[in-house]
């Protein structure tokens, strides 16, 4: 009985300890603010410095520019040529192309697998599918990029013979593989949290189990599935290594999905290595980073909003 | 059409016709979704199989313990392994304390629906979604550009940067911010499984909150903290974009020994070898070997974490 002893309390120690905990807990909040501040800060010259704006003002980055007198105005991303060109459009198009292919690939597979796992699979099968998806999620993106660059591109070339060996389709498929676990996990979560009472009611009304799954559970879980797709899209837009290695890194504007592309993230990664600290190019790259940050921030807020509304609807609480 | 319908209509009286809906067996949705699972499994098997096939022959004790030679055409990857281990070690020292304290604060000190909790959780969720290249930019702009240059301005002679350049300390700090959400979420999961009665008993015996945290809560949450640390290491070892400009290098004749040294790293090594080798065919064996080593490392860590997590859940 006498062995349970706690050291006598020291008010100062208690106070310091608790203060340490509370201050440390704000680390995440501080980190996200610092990230935004410091990335945006390095891109500020674009907004006020006239010298920088000669080459890369917002206007110059958005609209077609006549770079050489007499030639047609065009959009072009060529920061390292004699006349630096900073149009954002080729990069945006490249990013969207890769993301679209990734989603076309990942959404049917991810949502389909989630439906199977949540509704049709036996418990044992479910216990097998989950580790497989976690395995897929654990593959580093540099490995997926490596596989796409070395193996998949060669296979595609032998089967289809595209003009460019490294292109949007090549990178898009690997990107889809990286996005599947995100969609699967959240979509499966959404479906398993549909209340049992809804399922029971449908069964009582005479629907077969598979009809319950497809006509009752699926529509009810739709907001959660939509959130998973949105978050997956956010990941597809921001992913760097796969597109850096497998997409060809050519800032081409074209409608074809088998042309090379250059994405925003890959541009930053490829060009940051050789950029001069404090130069116009440097500012523009940080500006691209700011855009990426804002975009994924908005996507995350959107996904979170949908999820919290869903939780309210089913469980009646604000999480 | 089935016999049920036929029987019902032929035997019932004219005023009542019992018709049962024909029940189809749902093979289309079941088959289609099962096909989706199969495609995923197949692609995973192809990728892992290809890497295992080409990489297994390359791995040997010598490969793991000797430095690269001949422009990466022969030799081993020991410096990359050493650099990766050093990197994640520093990262873990930084991220685990901060992550655990944050989780404790969220669980023990605030109400679930308070403004503070929601702001912190918002920050954690957003941190988890930030693209890895943005972390790289942050590492460059903040750690090297602000903190590093600041330290140089205070402590070093002008013109000879000591801290304001790529270094293993900045890379690991950058990674620690990237993996912070992982540790926080894992620790919170563990904290939630601690029965309230345990904490109440501790308070009833006269312990203060801090004493309870130290003696009761933290030991109980240890599996979750461990899981979080392992997952953070697994994630940190695989990320390349954040370390590309904050300290990773392709070939160094030395191993990182000081905090401001650069380092070789498995993921970065794979990237450079795959995209910038003058002769891809010659470096392919080493490339595959490196990829396999990274994969085995990542999977081993993930399996450890999954095992710990399932044990933690069954205990609940």
């Amino acid at each position: 009985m006498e062995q349970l002893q706690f050291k006598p309390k020291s008010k100062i120690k208690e106070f310091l300890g608790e203060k340490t905990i509370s201050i440390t807990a704000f680390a995440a909040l501080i980190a996200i603010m610092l990230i935004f501040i410091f990335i945006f800060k390095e891109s500020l010259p674009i907004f006020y410095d006239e010298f920088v704006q000669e080459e890369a003002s917002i206007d110059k980055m958005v609209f077609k520019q006549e770079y050489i007198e007499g030639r047609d105005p065009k959009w072009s991303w060529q920061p390292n040529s004699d006349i630096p060109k900073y149009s954002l459009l080729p990069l945006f198009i490249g990013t969207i192309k890769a993301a679209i292919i990734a989603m076309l690939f990942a959404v049917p597979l991810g949502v389909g697998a989630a439906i199977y796992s949540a509704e049709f699979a036996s418990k044992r099968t479910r216990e097998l599918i989950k580790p497989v998806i976690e395995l897929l999620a654990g593959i580093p993106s540099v490995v997926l990029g490596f596989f796409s660059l070395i193996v998949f591109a060669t296979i595609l070339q032998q089967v289809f013979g595209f003009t460019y060996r490294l292109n949007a389709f090549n990178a898009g498929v690997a990107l889809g593989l990286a996005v599947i676990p995100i969609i699967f996990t959240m979509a499966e979560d959404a479906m398993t949290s549909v209340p049992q009472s809804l399922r029971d009611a449908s069964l009582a009304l005479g629907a077969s189990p598979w009809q319950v799954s497809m006509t009752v559970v699926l529509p009810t879980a739709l907001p959660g599935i939509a959130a998973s797709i949105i978050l997956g899209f956010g990941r597809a837009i921001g992913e760097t290594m796969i597109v850096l290695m497998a997409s060809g890194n050519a800032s081409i504007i074209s409608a074809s999905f088998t042309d090379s592309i250059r994405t925003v993230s890959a541009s930053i990664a490829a060009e940051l290595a050789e950029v001069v600290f404090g130069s116009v190019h440097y500012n523009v790259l940080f500006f691209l980073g700011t855009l990426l940050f804002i975009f994924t921030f908005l996507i995350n807020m959107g996904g979170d909003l949908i999820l919290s509304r869903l939780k309210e609807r089913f469980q009646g609480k604000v999480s | 059409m089935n016999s049920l319908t036929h029987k019902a209509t032929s035997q019932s009286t004219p005023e009542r016709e019992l018709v049962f809906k024909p029940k189809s067996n749902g093979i289309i949705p079941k088959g289609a979704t099962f096909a989706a699972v199969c495609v995923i499994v197949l692609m995973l098997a192809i990728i892992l199989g290809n890497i295992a096939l080409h990489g297994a022959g390359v791995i040997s004790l010598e490969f793991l313990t000797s430095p690269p030679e001949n422009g990466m055409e022969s030799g081993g990857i020991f410096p990359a392994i050493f650099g990766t281990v050093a990197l994640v070690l520093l990262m873990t020292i930084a991220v685990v304390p901060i992550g655990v304290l944050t989780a404790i604060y969220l669980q023990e000190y605030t109400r679930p629906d308070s403004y503070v909790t929601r702001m912190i959780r918002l920050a954690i969720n957003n941190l988890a979604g930030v693209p890895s290249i943005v972390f790289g930019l942050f590492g460059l702009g903040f750690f090297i550009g602000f903190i590093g240059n600041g330290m140089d301005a205070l402590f070093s002679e002008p013109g000879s940067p000591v801290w304001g350049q790529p270094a293993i300390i900045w890379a690991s700090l950058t990674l620690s911010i990237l993996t912070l959400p992982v540790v926080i979420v894992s620790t919170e999961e563990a904290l939630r499984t601690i029965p309230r009665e345990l904490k109440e008993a501790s308070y009833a015996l006269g312990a203060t909150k801090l004493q309870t945290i130290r003696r009761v809560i933290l030991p109980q949450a240890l599996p979750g903290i461990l899981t979080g640390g392992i997952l953070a290491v697994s994630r940190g070892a695989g990320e390349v974009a954040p370390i590309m400009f904050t300290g990773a290098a392709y070939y160094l004749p030395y191993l990182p020994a000081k905090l401001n040294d650069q380092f070789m790293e498995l993921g970065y090594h794979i990237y450079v070898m795959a995209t910038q080798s003058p002769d891809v065919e010659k470096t392919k064996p080493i490339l595959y070997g490196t990829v396999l080593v990274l994969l085995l490392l990542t999977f081993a860590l993930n399996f450890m974490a999954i095992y710990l997590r399932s044990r933690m859940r069954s205990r609940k």
Side-chain angles (χ1 to χ4, degrees):
Chain A
M1 258 321 187
E2 305 320 303
Q3 301 208 337
L4 283 166
Q5 276 196 14
F6 291 97
K7 274 204 315 233
K9 309 162 204 184
S10 154
K11 281 217 172 115
I12 300 181
K13 263 202 213 164
E14 283 294 312
F15 178 73
L16 282 179
E18 301 209 328
K19 271 302 157 214
T20 314
I21 294 182
S22 1
I23 294 180
T24 317
F26 284 88
L29 199 56
I30 297 176
I32 199 101
M33 291 194 304
L34 280 179
I35 292 179
F36 180 70
I37 292 174
F38 274 88
I39 295 185
F40 187 53
K41 158 177 169 286
E42 298 294 336
S43 65
L44 276 178
I46 295 180
F47 297 99
Y48 65 77
D49 188 329
E50 276 180 15
F51 179 64
V52 170
Q53 283 173 346
E54 286 267 318
E55 282 181 24
S57 62
I58 300 287
D59 187 86
K60 289 209 164 69
M61 290 195 279
V62 172
F63 298 111
K64 277 187 188 176
Q65 298 295 311
E66 190 185 290
Y67 292 108
I68 302 179
E69 273 190 44
R71 297 235 191 119
D72 289 330
K74 57 175 180 171
W75 284 293
S76 180
W77 173 270
Q78 277 173 18
N80 292 320
S81 74
D82 286 337
I83 308 173
K85 309 183 180 73
Y86 291 108
S87 309
L88 299 180
L89 193 65
L91 302 183
F92 284 179
I93 290 185
T95 312
I96 300 272
K97 264 199 219 175
I100 289 180
I101 297 176
M103 298 310 282
L104 283 177
F105 190 64
V107 169
L109 289 180
V111 175
I115 296 177
Y116 183 79
S117 172
E119 301 294 315
F120 300 135
S122 63
K123 186 150 192 280
R124 240 193 61 201
T125 321
R126 205 174 305 146
E127 300 292 314
L128 282 175
I129 296 182
K130 270 214 164 109
V132 165
I133 300 288
E134 287 207 30
L135 211 68
L136 186 58
I139 299 183
S141 52
V142 64
V143 173
L144 287 174
F146 151 81
F147 186 81
S148 190
L149 165 67
I150 302 277
V151 181
F152 194 56
T154 314
I155 296 178
L156 282 182
Q157 197 68 339
Q158 283 171 353
V159 174
F160 294 110
F162 298 134
T163 328
Y164 301 94
R165 181 172 172 270
L166 298 180
N167 52 54
F169 185 73
N170 189 26
V173 170
L175 201 55
L177 273 178
V179 169
I180 283 178
I182 301 176
I183 297 184
F184 175 89
T185 315
M186 283 188 57
E188 209 223 4
D189 249 359
M191 279 186 287
T192 49
S193 32
V194 171
Q196 189 61 24
S197 50
L198 230 60
R199 292 177 217 255
D200 292 341
S202 323
L203 286 169
L205 286 169
S208 57
W210 77 265
Q211 285 173 325
V212 175
S213 300
M214 300 303 289
T215 60
V216 175
V217 177
L218 195 55
T220 317
L222 218 49
I225 298 179
S228 76
I229 295 179
I230 291 175
L231 287 172
F233 184 68
R235 172 78 195 271
I237 295 279
E239 170 57 46
T240 308
M241 292 316 293
I242 297 178
V243 277
L244 182 59
M245 293 169 87
S247 66
N249 285 317
S251 62
I252 300 175
I253 300 184
S254 84
S256 163
F257 284 98
T258 59
D259 281 341
S260 291
I261 52 168
R262 193 180 185 87
T263 65
V264 173
S265 49
S267 293
I268 302 176
E271 295 166 19
L272 201 58
E274 285 144 13
V275 78
V276 173
F277 188 88
S279 66
V280 178
H281 194 183
Y282 182 83
N283 295 135
V284 175
L285 287 181
F286 271 85
F287 181 63
L288 285 177
T290 313
L291 290 178
L292 265 183
F293 180 88
I294 295 178
F295 182 79
T296 44
F297 188 84
L298 291 174
I299 288 230
N300 267 300
M301 299 285 274
D304 271 354
L305 207 70
I306 298 180
L307 281 180
S308 64
R309 285 249 182 90
L310 236 160
K311 278 207 174 130
E312 266 182 54
R313 219 216 290 180
F314 284 145
Q315 296 160 16
K317 65 179 174 207
V318 179
S319 68
Chain B
M1 277 313 171
N2 48 32
S3 54
L4 260 137
T5 328
H6 186 67
K7 265 205 190 108
T9 48
S10 67
Q11 289 183 5
S12 57
T13 54
E15 300 91 276
R16 288 177 184 217
E17 291 209 9
L18 287 166
V19 177
F20 292 95
K21 250 185 352 189
K23 294 238 166 133
S24 48
N25 50 12
I27 192 126
I28 297 180
K30 284 189 194 162
T33 52
F34 183 65
V37 175
C38 290
V39 171
I40 296 178
V41 172
L42 193 67
M43 302 206 63
L44 191 62
I46 291 178
I47 294 178
L48 297 181
N50 179 283
I51 293 175
L53 206 68
H54 288 105
V58 183
I59 295 188
S60 62
L61 196 58
E62 214 190 302
F63 182 69
L64 297 172
T65 54
S66 44
E69 295 156 17
N70 223 352
M72 308 300 167
E73 290 175 16
S74 53
I77 51 168
F78 177 68
I81 299 180
F82 182 88
T84 310
V85 171
L87 177 75
V88 296
L89 201 64
L90 286 174
M91 176 198 80
T92 311
I93 296 177
V95 74
V96 169
I98 300 182
V100 169
L101 287 181
T102 308
I104 290 183
Y105 182 76
L106 286 173
Q107 285 289 320
E108 302 292 324
Y109 282 94
T110 62
R111 281 167 309 142
D113 54 348
S114 76
Y115 185 63
V116 168
T117 314
R118 278 194 293 166
M119 297 284 342
I120 297 185
R121 281 205 206 281
L122 195 75
I124 296 173
N125 280 337
N126 276 299
L127 217 50
V130 172
S132 44
I133 188 70
V134 175
F135 279 109
L137 284 173
F138 176 67
L140 191 62
F142 178 72
F143 285 120
I144 297 183
F146 185 68
I147 306 239
N149 279 333
M151 284 168 74
D152 275 345
L154 290 173
F155 303 125
S156 331
E157 295 135 28
S160 58
V162 172
W163 294 105
Q165 55 186 358
I168 192 169
I169 181 72
W170 305 137
S172 29
L173 285 177
T174 309
L175 279 182
S176 67
I177 304 185
L178 192 150
T179 51
L180 192 60
V182 173
V183 177
I184 295 179
V185 166
S186 233
T187 312
E188 269 201 286
E189 211 181 298
L191 289 174
R192 276 193 210 115
T193 68
I194 300 179
R196 250 181 58 206
E197 294 80 25
L198 218 61
K199 293 184 258 186
E200 287 170 356
S202 171
Y203 294 132
L205 285 168
T208 65
K209 197 149 194 168
L210 271 186
Q211 285 172 330
T212 309
I213 292 176
R214 226 187 97 207
R215 305 287 186 95
V216 176
I217 297 181
L218 275 184
Q220 288 284 314
L222 216 50
I225 298 175
L226 215 57
T227 309
I230 293 176
L231 287 173
V233 167
S234 163
R235 181 90 192 270
E239 288 284 344
V240 178
I243 61 172
M244 273 167 98
F245 315 106
T246 49
Y250 185 44
Y251 179 72
L252 293 170
Y254 59 85
L255 291 174
K258 309 191 297 281
L259 281 179
N260 65 334
D261 277 339
Q262 291 189 299
F263 59 100
M264 287 169 72
E265 203 257 0
L266 286 171
Y268 185 69
H269 209 71
I270 295 172
Y271 160 66
V272 180
M273 239 198 297
T275 54
Q276 289 163 28
S277 277
D279 189 344
V280 177
E281 287 306 315
K282 288 226 184 95
T283 52
K284 241 191 203 177
I286 305 242
L287 184 56
Y288 265 106
T290 318
V291 172
L292 188 55
V293 168
L294 181 62
L295 265 187
L296 288 175
L297 181 71
T298 313
F299 287 164
L301 289 167
N302 279 351
F303 278 134
M304 263 201 282
I306 293 176
Y307 172 69
L308 268 174
R309 191 180 263 163
S310 66
R311 258 190 58 182
M312 199 170 65
R313 289 208 180 130
S314 61
R315 192 230 288 168
K316 188 184 184 185

